[in-house]
Structures are given as C-alpha cells and as structure tokens.
Amino acid sequence: MSFLRRRRAAESAKAGSGSGDDGGGGEGGDKKEREVKSRRKQGPGGGERPRRWSCVDSCCWFVGCVCSIWWLLLFLLNAMPASFPQYVTEAITGPLPDPPGVKLRKEGLAARHPVVFVPGIVTGGLELWEGHQCAEGLFRKRLWGGTFGELYKRPLCWVEHMSLDNETGLDPPGIRVRPVSGLVAADYFAPGYFVWAVLIANLARIGYEEKNMYMAAYDWRLSFQNTEVRDQTLSRIKSNIELMVATSGNKVVVIPHSMGVLYFLHFMKWVEAPAPMGGGGGSDWCAKHIKAVMNIGGPFFGVPKAVSGLFSVEARDIAVARALAPGVLDKDVFKFQTLQHMMRMTRTWDSTMSMIPKGGDTIWGGVDWSPERFFNCSTKRSKNIYMTTSERSAVRDLENRAGVNYGRLISFGKDVANIHSSKIERTDFRGAVKGRNLSNTSNCDVWTEYHDMGVGGVKAVADYKVYTAGSILDLLDFVAPKLMKRGSAHFSYGIADNLDDPKYQHYRHWSNPLETKLPNAPDMEIYSLYGVGIPTERAYVYKLTPTSECYIPFQIDTSAHGESEDSCLKDGVFSADGDETVPVLSAGYMCAKGWRGKTRFNPSGINTYIREYDHAPPANLLEGRGTQSGAHVDIMGNFALIEDIIRVAAGATGEDLGGDRVYSDIFKWSEKIQLQL
C-alpha cells in the first residue's frame, strides 16, 4: 500500500510539472521561482549562502569584543599575584630601589613628629549634604573627586551644585557641599590617580598612623577666611595641631601642597591674631607648635595660569583642544556651552583669586624686562655644572640676544609680544563704554560677565595690546567686576612699604608673603620643595574670537609659534622653567632671598631651604607616573622628595639634608628683582 501511495504522489508531481511547463504559470510556476530563489541563497558548495554583514552587526561585534576584553583584563588583574607587576617591571628594567619608607626603616628611622597635610586647590574631595531636586539620591556622595560619575550623568545639575553664590562667595540657597574628612579626603584624586597616598604609605612604613597624621581638608572653593566663617576649618586645624603636640610631646611638621601653601600662610597669621578676626593663639603659638613647614610646589607669588583661567577659562591644553576641534567646547557642535558653564562656575570660586600674580612688575617684570628674560628653553640644555666650554659660549650668545618679554603676561598678537615697547601703539581701555551689544544673547544657556561688555569694551581690551602683572588687576576689574569686587575683600597683590602699618593686620593680606611677616619662631624651618626642568606657562599670546552666539570674546592664539624648535613660544604660550604649573620664580624666590636670613619679611631669622627636584619622566609605562617626576602633582610620588620629608619628620634638620639643592637659576633671577628687604 505504501508503494502505491508513493507512485501516485510521483505521478501527481509529474503532472503538475507538465502543466506548469505548458502554461508558464500556476502552482508549477510558483514552485519554479522558489527553486531559483533557493539556488541563489545557496553557496558554491550547495550550503546556505551567508547573509550580508550590516553596520549594526559590526557595531554589536565591536561592543562585544570590547566588553569581553575588559572583563578578561579585570579577571586577570584580580587573579594575578600582587607582586606580578613589580616582577614584570624588574624583568625589563632591573631591580627596583626600595621605597623611601623601607629604605629609611632599615636605617633605623622611626615616627617622631606628627605630620599635617594641607592639600591644594581641586585635589580635595567634596561631598553633597543638601541639594536641589535634580541631586536626589546623592546625599554624602562625592561631587568632586572619585569617579566624577555625576558630572557625566547630569552635568548641569553638577555645575549648579559646584557653584557658589555670585554675590556672597558662600553657599547658594538650598545647597550645601562640604569637604570630605580624614586621610581619604585627598589620598587619591580619582581611582588610580594618587595625590597624598604614596607619601602616606611611606610614612606608615616607619611607624606613622592616623593618630599622628592629619589631613587638614577644607573647601578649596572658598576664600581662606570664609573657610573659618562657614566651617570653622581654621579653628579645627588649630585644635588638631594642639592635640597632636600635647599627646606626642613633639612639634608638628606641616606639609602644604600647591594652593595649600598660601592657605597655611594665612593660617599662621590667623592663629596668632586676636579674636574675633584671628584664632587668638598669641605671637608665640607657631614657635610652640611647629617644627617645620615643608612647602611643595608653593605658588607664593601666584601663577600666570590663574590669569588665563579667569580671562578665558583656558590653559595651554584647553587652548590646543579648542583649536583642534572648534565648536566642541562651545555651543556650535553639541549645543552645550561647556566653556561658558565652566567660566560661570569657576568665577564663583573665590580661592582662584589667591593665585593671581602678586608683586606686580617688581616681581614678574615689566613691558621690556623680566628676571628670566634670557632663559634657555632648549630641551637639550645641560646643567651648568656639566657644561662644556662651547655650551657656556652658546649660553653667553643667548644672553646677548633680545630674550623673551616674560613681563608681558598677555599680548594681543605675536608681533606685539616681541617688539620693543616704543613701537607699540596702545589705547587705554579703562574709560571704554560698555554695552550689551556683543551678540545675540537671548538664547544663551548661561550668563557671563562678558555679555555686559559690548563690542566697544572688547575692542578696547584688545587695543591696549600688552598687560603686565601691574595692569592685570585693572584688566580683570574691567572684564569681571563682580568677581574682583568679592576678591578684593579677601586678597591683596601688592608689596608692603611698611609692614608695621595697621592695615596689614587685616586678613586680606595674610596669604601674600610680600605684605606679611613670618612668625616669631627662630627655631622653626621653612622649606620650598618643587620640581624643575619642565616647560611652565609664563605668558600668553591672545587673539579675538570670531563673533558667534554667546561666545567668550578672547582666546589663546595657538597658531603663534617661535621661529625655531627650541623657542620658548609654542601654541601661543611662552614657557619658562618650573613644574608645569608654578614657575620657579614664584616657588623659589622667598626661600632664596625674600626670607633668607633676617629680613623685614622674616624678622626672627627663620632658616629657609630650597630643595629642587630635576624632572625625569618614567622610563616606560610600567613605571606609571614615575619616581623621579618633578611635575606639580606627580612630584608627590618622587622618592627623593618623600625621603627628605620622612627624614625631617623623623627629626632631621635642613642642614642634615645637606642644605639647598638647586638646579635652576633661581638665585641669579632673585638678584635681578629690586625688592626692599
């Protein structure tokens, strides 16, 4: 029966095929078309032909590969022994030196003097205690430091909560952002990016722990005196130091970094001043409680970077990025005014005004002179002690040239930066008429003070051509009047004629070393520890920005370069010697000359020492940020610096360290500054 059924089925199929051939249509025709399509889908071997690879497939494949590799690397990182990276590094570079803490413990050094860390600007963590609706779920989460996750998730909300009140310089209504406390406040700036962590770990190796180490965390956005007004931070530092001295029986070693150097200068005047303005500790408080102040990368006279930051919210790196991708940081591409929001936010941070250059033309130079004028910017330059006769001759030839006009902190145009002042035609900007005719500001997401300047005001600023440290304050008063009104109440930038004048007892002068005296503490020591050998921003070439909606009218002219490879002018920035952020002149002058011996700024003759660390980049990627770096933050992992600090904390003096260690021309430059001492 089954045989008959198969035979009938075959006959039916044959009949259907015949009718299809005769009529060219019907069911047979449809079947034939299906067979043709089936053959088209088949590959050369008779199998099914693969379908085309689409863009979506490529994207999914790429994402899958990245995720797989990422998880594999995470697995390997957690699975490998902790010593494996060191094993690989030693296999490539040879045996690594012992960390300073291990080395000095073998020498018998142990914890003695309590240590106080004073972090600088932006390196301390800030967390949210009260916020608006957009910050729901962020109570006591870090807004600054850590992963910066909220910056990416809700940027406008983050900017709103990181900004201070534009009138008072304190908290805006309904917002409370406070500094993180403890050593974790500034041990790491972000995961894997250390600040104080390496120094803390090495101190722990000789016996230090949290009871004799204290992180003097503060809200680095506020003016120094307002940290006491709002948070009583200065009082807390005073109480903690007194407790550490009382429990240990030894004076403290204070280690400020970056802006923390200025903050602690303010503290030393505050703690001795009578209440209510000061801490009421008396004129001998520092002598009783402080063994040494070891300043790391101290901007005693401020930094030129602060000027470019306030003027156009730029530094060299941002200016280059802005030039390479025009419109990305403005509203043109992503419809988000990144630079404008950053300017609006940072101009509410009064602390930034503590970094404006101090001392005017006397310190930083005038239109036609500066202390570092003949600095050799060649990356191949040798240190003086190793110079051959031909190299010394080359340096003398260099010093016979015109040199660099570093005193011109801002020049509008490369030609203006180089020619003699007698050839510059200038128009005073101070009497220019302002107005709200910059551009169409009706659609601006954020207001900046530039919107009130008008075309006439912008043109007047550019027509003045050249700005020195003496005229920078007038410039900032003109372009940012609200900012400078607040700042002038908290900071001063001049040079005192008579330090006994009662006006210098006001707190606005306390962070300016040229307007205050050091404490009456002859047994105390002051160190200036900083990196050298890295091109550091010293002056800028500016241009007007093409007119657009809601624009910032000034920007660094990154097309301005020197005539040779070794020129000090690159990407619109004149560089001098320093640690990439603070020029040597600002970091070293006070300990080299201003406070050296008994001077009117150092009446008790506190001993001062300069310890410079010549920059050496890491030899390979396995060294991370290196152990011989002189960069402004990376120096915190410099083994030589850490060793100097540990020795002093263990009881050594500056003479025990060997006194000064200098690679730069700081002593020569200091002699060119005509300052009454």
Side-chain angles (χ1 to χ4, degrees):
M1 294 296 292
S2 60
F3 172 76
L4 292 175
R5 282 196 295 269
R6 287 196 297 272
R7 185 175 180 182
R8 286 173 185 167
E11 290 176 352
S12 299
K14 185 176 182 181
S17 175
S19 64
D21 293 339
D22 295 339
E27 294 182 1
D30 293 341
K31 185 173 182 182
K32 189 174 183 179
E33 289 180 7
R34 286 196 297 269
E35 290 176 353
V36 171
K37 291 180 180 179
S38 176
R39 284 195 297 271
R40 287 177 180 172
K41 291 182 179 179
Q42 290 178 352
E48 185 175 352
R49 185 188 301 271
R51 65 187 181 88
R52 279 184 190 172
W53 193 260
S54 69
C55 181
V56 174
D57 295 324
S58 300
C59 292
C60 293
W61 180 86
F62 177 75
V63 171
C65 286
V66 170
C67 292
S68 300
I69 294 172
W70 175 253
W71 285 111
L72 177 62
L73 291 175
L74 282 178
F75 172 77
L76 293 175
L77 180 65
N78 287 280
M80 72 174 62
S83 60
F84 184 74
Q86 181 177 346
Y87 172 79
V88 174
T89 304
E90 290 184 349
I92 297 174
T93 64
L96 296 176
D98 285 336
V102 174
K103 172 187 173 183
L104 298 179
R105 184 179 61 190
K106 292 177 180 178
E107 294 182 12
L109 271 66
R112 181 176 177 185
H113 295 275
V115 173
V116 178
F117 309 114
V118 186
I121 192 170
V122 309
T123 55
L126 300 174
E127 60 187 16
L128 182 70
W129 281 79
E130 180 185 2
H132 294 162
Q133 184 65 33
C134 67
E136 188 70 29
L138 298 181
F139 176 67
R140 294 204 65 197
K141 298 287 182 64
R142 287 201 183 195
L143 293 186
W144 189 271
T147 61
F148 286 91
E150 299 311 316
L151 170 60
Y152 311 119
K153 294 177 184 177
R154 28 189 160 182
L156 290 180
C157 184
W158 180 83
V159 168
E160 179 185 7
H161 285 75
M162 283 298 298
S163 299
L164 296 170
D165 188 275
N166 204 28
E167 300 292 336
T168 65
L170 296 169
D171 293 324
I175 294 177
R176 282 186 294 148
V177 175
R178 297 293 181 263
V180 177
S181 59
L183 295 178
V184 297
D187 55 351
Y188 287 91
F189 175 65
Y193 192 89
F194 69 82
V195 182
W196 295 91
V198 177
L199 176 58
I200 291 171
N202 278 278
L203 284 166
R205 292 180 183 274
I206 67 165
Y208 279 91
E209 51 189 284
E210 200 151 11
K211 71 180 181 182
N212 49 12
M213 289 192 290
Y214 168 59
M215 182 70 72
Y218 60 98
D219 190 336
W220 44 262
R221 302 172 302 160
L222 300 174
S223 69
F224 300 158
Q225 191 68 10
N226 273 345
T227 63
E228 174 65 17
V229 171
R230 196 193 72 178
D231 301 334
Q232 294 76 55
T233 303
L234 299 174
S235 295
R236 295 172 189 272
I237 295 174
K238 176 176 179 283
S239 299
N240 276 283
I241 290 177
E242 290 172 344
L243 176 63
M244 295 169 83
V245 171
T247 55
S248 71
N250 292 302
K251 300 177 185 179
V252 300
V253 172
V254 184
I255 311 169
H257 174 243
S258 190
M259 191 185 75
V261 170
L262 303 180
Y263 187 71
F264 197 74
L265 272 181
H266 182 98
F267 171 83
M268 288 195 293
K269 297 302 295 183
W270 173 88
V271 75
E272 294 184 341
M277 187 182 295
S283 59
D284 60 348
W285 190 93
C286 291
K288 291 179 178 178
H289 294 89
I290 302 175
K291 174 194 185 299
V293 182
M294 307 191 75
N295 302 293
I296 303 175
F300 291 102
F301 295 154
V303 292
K305 264 187 178 182
V307 176
S308 63
L310 293 172
F311 190 51
S312 62
V313 71
E314 286 180 300
R316 187 205 304 268
D317 296 340
I318 295 177
V320 171
R322 192 177 179 186
L324 290 175
V328 172
L329 296 179
D330 300 296
K331 194 175 181 178
D332 301 342
V333 175
F334 296 115
K335 307 302 179 185
F336 184 77
Q337 300 166 15
T338 306
L339 287 177
Q340 287 85 338
H341 279 288
M342 290 300 296
M343 175 173 282
R344 170 66 180 83
M345 179 178 70
T346 56
R347 282 192 176 183
T348 67
W349 298 348
D350 289 351
S351 62
T352 58
M353 287 177 281
S354 70
M355 309 283 277
I356 294 174
K358 304 175 179 69
D361 296 358
T362 302
I363 299 295
W364 294 94
V367 176
D368 288 320
W369 84 278
S370 63
E372 321 101 307
R373 183 171 184 175
F374 299 107
F375 172 66
N376 181 7
C377 294
S378 171
T379 56
K380 302 175 183 178
R381 67 183 185 276
S382 303
K383 302 302 173 188
N384 290 336
I385 56 175
Y386 302 120
M387 278 189 178
T388 64
T389 303
S390 60
E391 288 172 333
R392 290 193 182 96
S393 176
V395 170
R396 283 195 297 271
D397 291 341
L398 179 71
E399 295 189 351
N400 289 329
R401 300 177 194 168
V404 179
N405 295 316
Y406 287 120
R408 306 178 188 183
L409 293 186
I410 289 180
S411 302
F412 276 89
K414 175 184 173 182
D415 55 336
V416 173
N418 294 321
I419 63 176
H420 192 271
S421 60
S422 61
K423 299 179 181 179
I424 302 175
E425 297 181 2
R426 306 168 73 185
T427 303
D428 200 339
F429 65 92
R430 296 173 181 87
V433 178
K434 295 184 179 182
R436 291 185 61 86
N437 58 345
L438 250 188
S439 62
N440 178 20
T441 60
S442 59
N443 296 322
C444 290
D445 298 333
V446 59
W447 173 87
T448 68
E449 292 182 86
Y450 281 130
H451 297 158
D452 290 338
M453 283 188 59
V455 174
V458 171
K459 185 175 183 300
V461 168
D463 286 345
Y464 195 65
K465 306 291 187 182
V466 172
Y467 295 87
T468 66
S471 54
I472 280 293
L473 297 177
D474 292 334
L475 172 64
L476 294 176
D477 276 329
F478 186 77
V479 302
K482 285 192 175 183
L483 171 82
M484 295 304 291
K485 181 180 179 181
R486 292 196 319 272
S488 62
H490 290 276
F491 301 104
S492 181
Y493 311 98
I495 300 173
D497 294 326
N498 178 12
L499 289 169
D500 295 322
D501 191 323
K503 73 177 183 180
Y504 293 112
Q505 296 175 10
H506 191 273
Y507 60 75
R508 66 189 294 263
H509 303 282
W510 290 349
S511 60
N512 183 353
L514 300 173
E515 295 181 334
T516 55
K517 299 178 184 178
L518 287 178
N520 183 21
D523 294 331
M524 192 171 83
E525 294 180 326
I526 294 182
Y527 298 78
S528 189
L529 318 173
Y530 55 89
V532 297
I534 308 178
T536 302
E537 296 176 35
R538 180 64 169 81
Y540 303 90
V541 176
Y542 266 84
K543 67 178 181 180
L544 291 178
T545 307
T547 303
S548 63
E549 185 179 336
C550 305
Y551 74 122
I552 295 173
F554 312 107
Q555 71 179 98
I556 296 173
D557 185 1
T558 54
S559 67
H561 299 280
E563 304 301 328
S564 67
E565 181 183 349
D566 295 331
S567 172
C568 296
L569 175 61
K570 293 181 180 178
D571 299 318
V573 179
F574 285 101
S575 298
D577 199 4
D579 67 1
E580 204 171 31
T581 296
V582 183
V584 165
L585 189 69
S586 182
Y589 174 84
M590 289 308 296
C591 282
K593 187 177 180 183
W595 290 332
R596 185 59 59 104
K598 285 191 176 184
T599 69
R600 67 190 184 107
F601 303 109
N602 181 16
S604 66
I606 295 174
N607 287 328
T608 63
Y609 300 95
I610 289 180
R611 303 284 290 177
E612 293 184 345
Y613 304 89
D614 195 20
H615 175 69
N620 53 66
L621 292 176
L622 295 175
E623 287 190 20
R625 289 153 63 192
T627 60
Q628 301 178 66
S629 176
H632 189 64
V633 177
D634 294 354
I635 197 174
M636 304 293 281
N638 185 300
F639 278 11
L641 176 137
I642 293 172
E643 182 174 333
D644 285 346
I645 290 174
I646 293 178
R647 289 188 183 279
V648 172
T653 65
E655 293 301 323
D656 296 331
L657 297 183
D660 297 325
R661 181 179 59 206
V662 176
Y663 299 100
S664 72
D665 291 324
I666 182 59
F667 287 111
K668 182 174 74 174
W669 295 338
S670 297
E671 291 303 318
K672 295 182 179 180
I673 295 176
Q674 301 302 311
L675 180 66
Q676 178 192 349
L677 299 176

